[in-house]
mmCIF file of all heavy atoms in Angstrom:
data_model
loop_
_atom_site.group_PDB
_atom_site.id
_atom_site.type_symbol
_atom_site.label_atom_id
_atom_site.label_comp_id
_atom_site.label_asym_id
_atom_site.label_seq_id
_atom_site.Cartn_x
_atom_site.Cartn_y
_atom_site.Cartn_z
ATOM 1 N N ALA P 1 -12.296 -5.263 2.392
ATOM 2 C CA ALA P 1 -13.057 -4.037 2.133
ATOM 3 C C ALA P 1 -12.719 -3.428 0.769
ATOM 4 O O ALA P 1 -13.524 -2.691 0.195
ATOM 5 C CB ALA P 1 -12.802 -3.021 3.243
ATOM 6 N N ASN P 2 -11.522 -3.742 0.256
ATOM 7 C CA ASN P 2 -11.077 -3.128 -0.998
ATOM 8 C C ASN P 2 -10.761 -4.161 -2.078
ATOM 9 O O ASN P 2 -10.028 -3.886 -3.024
ATOM 10 C CB ASN P 2 -9.840 -2.265 -0.732
ATOM 11 C CG ASN P 2 -10.126 -1.121 0.218
ATOM 12 O OD1 ASN P 2 -10.668 -0.090 -0.160
ATOM 13 N ND2 ASN P 2 -9.762 -1.313 1.485
ATOM 14 N N LEU P 3 -11.349 -5.340 -1.933
ATOM 15 C CA LEU P 3 -11.015 -6.460 -2.809
ATOM 16 C C LEU P 3 -11.328 -6.166 -4.281
ATOM 17 O O LEU P 3 -10.561 -6.546 -5.173
ATOM 18 C CB LEU P 3 -11.763 -7.723 -2.361
ATOM 19 C CG LEU P 3 -11.320 -9.032 -3.022
ATOM 20 C CD1 LEU P 3 -9.839 -9.289 -2.790
ATOM 21 C CD2 LEU P 3 -12.157 -10.195 -2.470
ATOM 22 N N ALA P 4 -12.420 -5.466 -4.532
ATOM 23 C CA ALA P 4 -12.823 -5.201 -5.910
ATOM 24 C C ALA P 4 -11.766 -4.386 -6.653
ATOM 25 O O ALA P 4 -11.375 -4.737 -7.778
ATOM 26 C CB ALA P 4 -14.170 -4.481 -5.937
ATOM 27 N N ILE P 5 -11.295 -3.305 -6.045
ATOM 28 C CA ILE P 5 -10.307 -2.454 -6.707
ATOM 29 C C ILE P 5 -8.955 -3.147 -6.768
ATOM 30 O O ILE P 5 -8.195 -2.972 -7.735
ATOM 31 C CB ILE P 5 -10.195 -1.076 -6.008
ATOM 32 C CG1 ILE P 5 -9.338 -0.125 -6.851
ATOM 33 C CG2 ILE P 5 -9.637 -1.200 -4.610
ATOM 34 C CD1 ILE P 5 -9.937 0.256 -8.179
ATOM 35 N N ILE P 6 -8.623 -3.943 -5.758
ATOM 36 C CA ILE P 6 -7.359 -4.687 -5.761
ATOM 37 C C ILE P 6 -7.327 -5.670 -6.934
ATOM 38 O O ILE P 6 -6.321 -5.780 -7.650
ATOM 39 C CB ILE P 6 -7.160 -5.428 -4.421
ATOM 40 C CG1 ILE P 6 -6.873 -4.416 -3.299
ATOM 41 C CG2 ILE P 6 -6.020 -6.446 -4.518
ATOM 42 C CD1 ILE P 6 -6.860 -5.034 -1.908
ATOM 43 N N LYS P 7 -8.443 -6.354 -7.148
ATOM 44 C CA LYS P 7 -8.526 -7.312 -8.260
ATOM 45 C C LYS P 7 -8.565 -6.592 -9.607
ATOM 46 O O LYS P 7 -7.912 -7.014 -10.562
ATOM 47 C CB LYS P 7 -9.765 -8.183 -8.100
ATOM 48 C CG LYS P 7 -9.646 -9.253 -7.022
ATOM 49 C CD LYS P 7 -10.866 -10.163 -7.025
ATOM 50 C CE LYS P 7 -10.698 -11.317 -6.041
ATOM 51 N NZ LYS P 7 -11.878 -12.231 -6.056
ATOM 52 N N LYS P 8 -9.321 -5.506 -9.677
ATOM 53 C CA LYS P 8 -9.459 -4.763 -10.928
ATOM 54 C C LYS P 8 -8.108 -4.250 -11.406
ATOM 55 O O LYS P 8 -7.787 -4.324 -12.602
ATOM 56 C CB LYS P 8 -10.432 -3.599 -10.741
ATOM 57 C CG LYS P 8 -10.626 -2.756 -11.992
ATOM 58 C CD LYS P 8 -11.582 -1.594 -11.736
ATOM 59 C CE LYS P 8 -11.738 -0.727 -12.980
ATOM 60 N NZ LYS P 8 -12.646 0.415 -12.738
ATOM 61 N N LYS P 9 -7.301 -3.729 -10.484
ATOM 62 C CA LYS P 9 -6.012 -3.158 -10.860
ATOM 63 C C LYS P 9 -4.871 -4.170 -10.761
ATOM 64 O O LYS P 9 -3.716 -3.834 -11.005
ATOM 65 C CB LYS P 9 -5.715 -1.941 -9.973
ATOM 66 C CG LYS P 9 -6.730 -0.822 -10.134
ATOM 67 C CD LYS P 9 -6.339 0.422 -9.371
ATOM 68 C CE LYS P 9 -5.129 1.090 -9.988
ATOM 69 N NZ LYS P 9 -4.838 2.386 -9.346
ATOM 70 N N LYS P 10 -5.234 -5.408 -10.399
ATOM 71 C CA LYS P 10 -4.248 -6.496 -10.300
ATOM 72 C C LYS P 10 -3.067 -6.117 -9.413
ATOM 73 O O LYS P 10 -1.902 -6.301 -9.768
ATOM 74 C CB LYS P 10 -3.764 -6.892 -11.700
ATOM 75 C CG LYS P 10 -4.876 -7.399 -12.606
ATOM 76 C CD LYS P 10 -4.353 -7.756 -13.985
ATOM 77 C CE LYS P 10 -5.482 -8.248 -14.891
ATOM 78 N NZ LYS P 10 -5.021 -8.585 -16.260
ATOM 79 N N ILE P 11 -3.396 -5.586 -8.254
ATOM 80 C CA ILE P 11 -2.373 -5.160 -7.292
ATOM 81 C C ILE P 11 -1.798 -6.374 -6.571
ATOM 82 O O ILE P 11 -2.543 -7.244 -6.114
ATOM 83 C CB ILE P 11 -2.968 -4.155 -6.279
ATOM 84 C CG1 ILE P 11 -3.398 -2.879 -7.006
ATOM 85 C CG2 ILE P 11 -1.968 -3.827 -5.173
ATOM 86 C CD1 ILE P 11 -4.177 -1.907 -6.138
ATOM 87 N N ASP P 12 -0.496 -6.413 -6.486
ATOM 88 C CA ASP P 12 0.182 -7.498 -5.772
ATOM 89 C C ASP P 12 0.042 -7.252 -4.272
ATOM 90 O O ASP P 12 0.726 -6.391 -3.711
ATOM 91 C CB ASP P 12 1.655 -7.532 -6.183
ATOM 92 C CG ASP P 12 2.392 -8.733 -5.600
ATOM 93 O OD1 ASP P 12 1.752 -9.536 -4.884
ATOM 94 O OD2 ASP P 12 3.604 -8.864 -5.846
ATOM 95 N N VAL P 13 -0.860 -7.972 -3.626
ATOM 96 C CA VAL P 13 -1.161 -7.749 -2.218
ATOM 97 C C VAL P 13 -0.707 -8.930 -1.377
ATOM 98 O O VAL P 13 -0.836 -10.090 -1.784
ATOM 99 C CB VAL P 13 -2.670 -7.479 -1.996
ATOM 100 C CG1 VAL P 13 -3.517 -8.647 -2.486
ATOM 101 C CG2 VAL P 13 -2.967 -7.179 -0.536
ATOM 102 N N ILE P 14 -0.162 -8.624 -0.207
ATOM 103 C CA ILE P 14 0.269 -9.653 0.740
ATOM 104 C C ILE P 14 -0.457 -9.416 2.059
ATOM 105 O O ILE P 14 -0.357 -8.331 2.642
ATOM 106 C CB ILE P 14 1.792 -9.608 0.975
ATOM 107 C CG1 ILE P 14 2.531 -9.906 -0.339
ATOM 108 C CG2 ILE P 14 2.208 -10.595 2.056
ATOM 109 C CD1 ILE P 14 4.035 -9.795 -0.233
ATOM 110 N N GLU P 15 -1.208 -10.408 2.500
ATOM 111 C CA GLU P 15 -1.919 -10.278 3.768
ATOM 112 C C GLU P 15 -0.932 -10.419 4.918
ATOM 113 O O GLU P 15 -0.118 -11.350 4.962
ATOM 114 C CB GLU P 15 -3.009 -11.335 3.898
ATOM 115 C CG GLU P 15 -3.845 -11.187 5.178
ATOM 116 C CD GLU P 15 -4.959 -12.210 5.276
ATOM 117 O OE1 GLU P 15 -5.468 -12.661 4.227
ATOM 118 O OE2 GLU P 15 -5.324 -12.560 6.422
ATOM 119 N N VAL P 16 -1.013 -9.490 5.871
ATOM 120 C CA VAL P 16 -0.121 -9.493 7.026
ATOM 121 C C VAL P 16 -0.919 -9.195 8.284
ATOM 122 O O VAL P 16 -2.057 -8.731 8.226
ATOM 123 C CB VAL P 16 1.005 -8.440 6.884
ATOM 124 C CG1 VAL P 16 1.936 -8.779 5.729
ATOM 125 C CG2 VAL P 16 0.408 -7.039 6.703
ATOM 126 N N SER P 17 -0.310 -9.445 9.413
ATOM 127 C CA SER P 17 -0.902 -9.074 10.694
ATOM 128 C C SER P 17 -0.406 -7.684 11.074
ATOM 129 O O SER P 17 0.548 -7.164 10.465
ATOM 130 C CB SER P 17 -0.483 -10.073 11.777
ATOM 131 O OG SER P 17 0.915 -9.982 12.010
ATOM 132 N N LEU P 18 -1.034 -7.082 12.059
ATOM 133 C CA LEU P 18 -0.567 -5.769 12.522
ATOM 134 C C LEU P 18 0.848 -5.854 13.065
ATOM 135 O O LEU P 18 1.636 -4.910 12.928
ATOM 136 C CB LEU P 18 -1.516 -5.226 13.594
ATOM 137 C CG LEU P 18 -2.851 -4.662 13.098
ATOM 138 C CD1 LEU P 18 -3.730 -4.257 14.276
ATOM 139 C CD2 LEU P 18 -2.629 -3.460 12.178
ATOM 140 N N THR P 19 1.186 -6.980 13.678
ATOM 141 C CA THR P 19 2.538 -7.173 14.195
ATOM 142 C C THR P 19 3.552 -7.176 13.053
ATOM 143 O O THR P 19 4.619 -6.561 13.152
ATOM 144 C CB THR P 19 2.640 -8.496 14.970
ATOM 145 O OG1 THR P 19 1.705 -8.461 16.061
ATOM 146 C CG2 THR P 19 4.039 -8.710 15.522
ATOM 147 N N GLU P 20 3.204 -7.851 11.962
ATOM 148 C CA GLU P 20 4.095 -7.881 10.797
ATOM 149 C C GLU P 20 4.166 -6.506 10.137
ATOM 150 O O GLU P 20 5.233 -6.077 9.687
ATOM 151 C CB GLU P 20 3.606 -8.931 9.812
ATOM 152 C CG GLU P 20 3.799 -10.361 10.299
ATOM 153 C CD GLU P 20 3.155 -11.381 9.388
ATOM 154 O OE1 GLU P 20 2.033 -11.115 8.881
ATOM 155 O OE2 GLU P 20 3.768 -12.449 9.176
ATOM 156 N N LEU P 21 3.033 -5.813 10.087
ATOM 157 C CA LEU P 21 2.984 -4.486 9.486
ATOM 158 C C LEU P 21 3.915 -3.520 10.225
ATOM 159 O O LEU P 21 4.544 -2.654 9.616
ATOM 160 C CB LEU P 21 1.546 -3.964 9.512
ATOM 161 C CG LEU P 21 1.132 -2.963 8.425
ATOM 162 C CD1 LEU P 21 1.312 -3.568 7.041
ATOM 163 C CD2 LEU P 21 -0.310 -2.542 8.638
ATOM 164 N N ALA P 22 3.998 -3.701 11.527
ATOM 165 C CA ALA P 22 4.842 -2.837 12.353
ATOM 166 C C ALA P 22 6.313 -2.932 11.975
ATOM 167 O O ALA P 22 7.088 -2.002 12.219
ATOM 168 C CB ALA P 22 4.656 -3.181 13.829
ATOM 169 N N GLN P 23 6.703 -4.038 11.372
ATOM 170 C CA GLN P 23 8.105 -4.245 11.001
ATOM 171 C C GLN P 23 8.555 -3.330 9.865
ATOM 172 O O GLN P 23 9.750 -3.069 9.708
ATOM 173 C CB GLN P 23 8.337 -5.706 10.606
ATOM 174 C CG GLN P 23 8.132 -6.697 11.738
ATOM 175 C CD GLN P 23 8.415 -8.124 11.286
ATOM 176 O OE1 GLN P 23 9.520 -8.438 10.833
ATOM 177 N NE2 GLN P 23 7.433 -8.998 11.421
ATOM 178 N N ILE P 24 7.608 -2.853 9.073
ATOM 179 C CA ILE P 24 7.969 -1.984 7.951
ATOM 180 C C ILE P 24 7.367 -0.592 8.079
ATOM 181 O O ILE P 24 7.637 0.283 7.257
ATOM 182 C CB ILE P 24 7.515 -2.603 6.606
ATOM 183 C CG1 ILE P 24 6.004 -2.835 6.585
ATOM 184 C CG2 ILE P 24 8.255 -3.908 6.331
ATOM 185 C CD1 ILE P 24 5.471 -3.309 5.243
ATOM 186 N N SER P 25 6.578 -0.369 9.104
ATOM 187 C CA SER P 25 5.890 0.908 9.275
ATOM 188 C C SER P 25 6.814 1.975 9.854
ATOM 189 O O SER P 25 7.699 1.695 10.662
ATOM 190 C CB SER P 25 4.679 0.726 10.188
ATOM 191 O OG SER P 25 4.075 1.968 10.482
ATOM 192 N N ALA P 26 6.586 3.230 9.433
ATOM 193 C CA ALA P 26 7.288 4.367 10.016
ATOM 194 C C ALA P 26 6.462 5.020 11.118
ATOM 195 O O ALA P 26 6.901 5.965 11.760
ATOM 196 C CB ALA P 26 7.595 5.397 8.927
ATOM 197 N N LEU P 27 5.255 4.486 11.343
ATOM 198 C CA LEU P 27 4.359 5.020 12.367
ATOM 199 C C LEU P 27 4.533 4.277 13.681
ATOM 200 O O LEU P 27 4.921 3.106 13.698
ATOM 201 C CB LEU P 27 2.900 4.902 11.915
ATOM 202 C CG LEU P 27 2.520 5.597 10.603
ATOM 203 C CD1 LEU P 27 1.064 5.298 10.263
ATOM 204 C CD2 LEU P 27 2.747 7.097 10.704
ATOM 205 N N ASN P 28 4.230 4.955 14.768
ATOM 206 C CA ASN P 28 4.281 4.294 16.080
ATOM 207 C C ASN P 28 3.193 3.229 16.188
ATOM 208 O O ASN P 28 3.394 2.183 16.818
ATOM 209 C CB ASN P 28 4.114 5.331 17.197
ATOM 210 C CG ASN P 28 5.297 6.270 17.304
ATOM 211 O OD1 ASN P 28 6.426 5.873 17.015
ATOM 212 N ND2 ASN P 28 5.058 7.512 17.694
ATOM 213 N N SER P 29 2.051 3.503 15.577
ATOM 214 C CA SER P 29 0.948 2.543 15.581
ATOM 215 C C SER P 29 0.504 2.291 14.151
ATOM 216 O O SER P 29 -0.273 3.079 13.581
ATOM 217 C CB SER P 29 -0.237 3.079 16.402
ATOM 218 O OG SER P 29 0.144 3.326 17.735
ATOM 219 N N PRO P 30 1.000 1.237 13.513
ATOM 220 C CA PRO P 30 0.636 0.945 12.118
ATOM 221 C C PRO P 30 -0.865 0.753 11.954
ATOM 222 O O PRO P 30 -1.537 0.234 12.836
ATOM 223 C CB PRO P 30 1.408 -0.350 11.812
ATOM 224 C CG PRO P 30 1.700 -0.952 13.144
ATOM 225 C CD PRO P 30 1.882 0.200 14.074
ATOM 226 N N ASN P 31 -1.380 1.187 10.795
ATOM 227 C CA ASN P 31 -2.822 1.228 10.592
ATOM 228 C C ASN P 31 -3.241 0.488 9.317
ATOM 229 O O ASN P 31 -3.318 1.068 8.245
ATOM 230 C CB ASN P 31 -3.279 2.685 10.536
ATOM 231 C CG ASN P 31 -4.772 2.826 10.372
ATOM 232 O OD1 ASN P 31 -5.510 1.847 10.325
ATOM 233 N ND2 ASN P 31 -5.233 4.052 10.259
ATOM 234 N N GLU P 32 -3.444 -0.802 9.416
ATOM 235 C CA GLU P 32 -4.103 -1.661 8.419
ATOM 236 C C GLU P 32 -3.368 -1.904 7.099
ATOM 237 O O GLU P 32 -3.448 -2.979 6.540
ATOM 238 C CB GLU P 32 -5.517 -1.157 8.112
ATOM 239 C CG GLU P 32 -6.462 -1.269 9.298
ATOM 240 C CD GLU P 32 -7.924 -1.214 8.890
ATOM 241 O OE1 GLU P 32 -8.227 -1.256 7.692
ATOM 242 O OE2 GLU P 32 -8.770 -1.121 9.795
ATOM 243 N N ALA P 33 -2.673 -0.883 6.551
ATOM 244 C CA ALA P 33 -2.096 -1.077 5.222
ATOM 245 C C ALA P 33 -0.849 -0.233 4.998
ATOM 246 O O ALA P 33 -0.743 0.899 5.484
ATOM 247 C CB ALA P 33 -3.132 -0.751 4.156
ATOM 248 N N VAL P 34 0.078 -0.802 4.240
ATOM 249 C CA VAL P 34 1.275 -0.099 3.768
ATOM 250 C C VAL P 34 1.441 -0.425 2.294
ATOM 251 O O VAL P 34 1.370 -1.592 1.896
ATOM 252 C CB VAL P 34 2.546 -0.529 4.537
ATOM 253 C CG1 VAL P 34 3.790 0.059 3.879
ATOM 254 C CG2 VAL P 34 2.481 -0.109 6.003
ATOM 255 N N ALA P 35 1.646 0.596 1.472
ATOM 256 C CA ALA P 35 1.837 0.390 0.041
ATOM 257 C C ALA P 35 3.197 0.925 -0.390
ATOM 258 O O ALA P 35 3.672 1.941 0.135
ATOM 259 C CB ALA P 35 0.735 1.084 -0.757
ATOM 260 N N ILE P 36 3.815 0.217 -1.311
ATOM 261 C CA ILE P 36 5.022 0.717 -1.960
ATOM 262 C C ILE P 36 4.592 1.228 -3.332
ATOM 263 O O ILE P 36 4.010 0.495 -4.129
ATOM 264 C CB ILE P 36 6.081 -0.379 -2.098
ATOM 265 C CG1 ILE P 36 6.510 -0.881 -0.709
ATOM 266 C CG2 ILE P 36 7.296 0.143 -2.859
ATOM 267 C CD1 ILE P 36 7.527 -2.005 -0.745
ATOM 268 N N VAL P 37 4.861 2.502 -3.588
ATOM 269 C CA VAL P 37 4.332 3.177 -4.775
ATOM 270 C C VAL P 37 5.470 3.719 -5.631
ATOM 271 O O VAL P 37 6.483 4.198 -5.116
ATOM 272 C CB VAL P 37 3.403 4.341 -4.358
ATOM 273 C CG1 VAL P 37 2.779 5.001 -5.583
ATOM 274 C CG2 VAL P 37 2.316 3.842 -3.407
ATOM 275 N N LYS P 38 5.291 3.655 -6.933
ATOM 276 C CA LYS P 38 6.287 4.179 -7.857
ATOM 277 C C LYS P 38 6.216 5.703 -7.888
ATOM 278 O O LYS P 38 5.137 6.291 -7.925
ATOM 279 C CB LYS P 38 6.052 3.634 -9.268
ATOM 280 C CG LYS P 38 7.087 4.082 -10.288
ATOM 281 C CD LYS P 38 6.812 3.502 -11.675
ATOM 282 C CE LYS P 38 7.848 3.982 -12.682
ATOM 283 N NZ LYS P 38 7.589 3.422 -14.031
ATOM 284 N N MET P 39 7.381 6.347 -7.879
ATOM 285 C CA MET P 39 7.420 7.802 -7.980
ATOM 286 C C MET P 39 6.913 8.252 -9.344
ATOM 287 O O MET P 39 7.154 7.593 -10.352
ATOM 288 C CB MET P 39 8.851 8.313 -7.791
ATOM 289 C CG MET P 39 9.380 8.202 -6.383
ATOM 290 S SD MET P 39 11.046 8.905 -6.299
ATOM 291 C CE MET P 39 11.393 8.703 -4.546
ATOM 292 N N GLN P 40 6.223 9.390 -9.336
ATOM 293 C CA GLN P 40 5.719 9.974 -10.573
ATOM 294 C C GLN P 40 6.487 11.267 -10.861
ATOM 295 O O GLN P 40 6.769 12.037 -9.951
ATOM 296 C CB GLN P 40 4.228 10.294 -10.445
ATOM 297 C CG GLN P 40 3.365 9.107 -10.098
ATOM 298 C CD GLN P 40 3.157 8.178 -11.283
ATOM 299 O OE1 GLN P 40 3.226 8.605 -12.432
ATOM 300 N NE2 GLN P 40 2.909 6.908 -11.003
ATOM 301 N N SER P 41 6.814 11.503 -12.115
ATOM 302 C CA SER P 41 7.467 12.765 -12.480
ATOM 303 C C SER P 41 6.406 13.731 -13.006
ATOM 304 O O SER P 41 5.523 13.340 -13.772
ATOM 305 C CB SER P 41 8.542 12.538 -13.543
ATOM 306 O OG SER P 41 7.987 11.971 -14.708
ATOM 307 N N HIS P 42 6.482 14.984 -12.571
ATOM 308 C CA HIS P 42 5.510 15.998 -12.980
ATOM 309 C C HIS P 42 6.253 17.229 -13.469
ATOM 310 O O HIS P 42 7.163 17.718 -12.801
ATOM 311 C CB HIS P 42 4.608 16.404 -11.807
ATOM 312 C CG HIS P 42 3.907 15.267 -11.141
ATOM 313 N ND1 HIS P 42 2.784 14.677 -11.668
ATOM 314 C CD2 HIS P 42 4.168 14.606 -9.991
ATOM 315 C CE1 HIS P 42 2.376 13.708 -10.873
ATOM 316 N NE2 HIS P 42 3.203 13.639 -9.846
ATOM 317 N N ASP P 43 5.865 17.746 -14.611
ATOM 318 C CA ASP P 43 6.407 19.014 -15.080
ATOM 319 C C ASP P 43 5.698 20.146 -14.346
ATOM 320 O O ASP P 43 4.526 20.027 -13.965
ATOM 321 C CB ASP P 43 6.189 19.172 -16.584
ATOM 322 C CG ASP P 43 7.019 18.180 -17.385
ATOM 323 O OD1 ASP P 43 8.101 17.790 -16.903
ATOM 324 O OD2 ASP P 43 6.566 17.786 -18.475
ATOM 325 N N ILE P 44 6.415 21.236 -14.152
ATOM 326 C CA ILE P 44 5.799 22.414 -13.552
ATOM 327 C C ILE P 44 4.834 23.020 -14.562
ATOM 328 O O ILE P 44 5.191 23.263 -15.717
ATOM 329 C CB ILE P 44 6.867 23.446 -13.144
ATOM 330 C CG1 ILE P 44 7.795 22.858 -12.083
ATOM 331 C CG2 ILE P 44 6.219 24.726 -12.623
ATOM 332 C CD1 ILE P 44 8.984 23.750 -11.740
ATOM 333 N N ASN P 45 3.605 23.271 -14.123
ATOM 334 C CA ASN P 45 2.583 23.826 -15.006
ATOM 335 C C ASN P 45 2.564 25.351 -14.851
ATOM 336 O O ASN P 45 1.900 25.894 -13.968
ATOM 337 C CB ASN P 45 1.211 23.235 -14.670
ATOM 338 C CG ASN P 45 0.162 23.564 -15.714
ATOM 339 O OD1 ASN P 45 0.188 24.646 -16.305
ATOM 340 N ND2 ASN P 45 -0.759 22.645 -15.936
#
């Protein structure tokens, strides 16, 4: 469903099953996707 944006931004994606997703999820019921994101620093405006 999101292949176009994944390819455009060259995101490193790994296909997993819901069972595999549950191994890294903090939710009781994992939902389709988990991303690891870099922290952003923001100055107070």
Side-chain angles (χ1 to χ4, degrees):
N2 298 280
L3 191 58
I5 190 66
I6 290 172
K7 285 186 175 181
K8 179 181 178 181
K9 298 186 69 173
K10 299 179 181 179
I11 296 172
D12 186 0
V13 59
I14 297 176
E15 184 178 331
V16 295
S17 66
L18 284 176
T19 300
E20 290 173 321
L21 208 59
Q23 295 182 59
I24 59 174
S25 174
L27 302 176
N28 292 329
S29 301
N31 182 2
E32 294 199 9
V34 171
I36 298 178
V37 183
K38 183 180 179 180
M39 289 182 178
Q40 302 285 334
S41 59
H42 305 281
D43 292 331
I44 298 173
N45 191 326

